Amino acid sequence: MPAPLKRSGLQSEVIHFYRKCFKAAREKPLESQPRFHAFIRKEFKEHNIKRSDFATIEYMLRKGQKQLETYSQKGIKDIHV
């Protein structure tokens, strides 16, 4: 059995944030969850960032955290991609 992959702290942070986004989407109404899931995937795939570009990755994480705070508000019921 191969050893589990060793991830850097930043890689783990990105994966944790990705999962946190989907967890927040589960709090939204059932009929709008697929649109939230599509939005999350689009946002992560949209940016073609090199693994070694730490400054950009950290910036995108901070930007994503702010977006997550906004979209996690109870008043936000739907999103359009």
Side-chain angles (χ1 to χ4, degrees):
M1 177 185 254
L5 292 174
K6 265 299 213 191
R7 293 191 174 102
S8 72
L10 194 55
Q11 286 173 323
S12 296
E13 204 173 325
V14 170
I15 292 168
H16 176 73
F17 178 64
Y18 187 76
R19 290 177 179 157
K20 188 175 176 181
C21 290
F22 278 95
K23 185 176 180 181
R26 286 194 301 266
E27 301 294 320
K28 299 302 177 183
L30 196 57
E31 62 275 358
S32 64
Q33 286 181 14
R35 288 186 289 280
F36 276 97
H37 293 169
F39 177 76
I40 294 165
R41 287 187 188 101
K42 180 184 84 62
E43 287 294 307
F44 272 85
K45 288 181 181 179
E46 186 174 86
H47 307 285
N48 191 15
I49 302 169
K50 294 181 183 175
R51 290 182 182 188
S52 60
D53 193 354
F54 302 117
T56 302
I57 295 169
E58 289 172 348
Y59 165 75
M60 295 304 293
L61 275 172
R62 285 192 307 273
K63 181 181 169 192
Q65 289 284 359
K66 290 177 186 175
Q67 280 184 315
L68 180 60
E69 287 176 19
T70 301
Y71 293 129
S72 293
Q73 294 176 2
K74 296 282 186 203
I76 307 289
K77 301 286 185 202
D78 203 355
I79 193 166
H80 296 281
V81 183

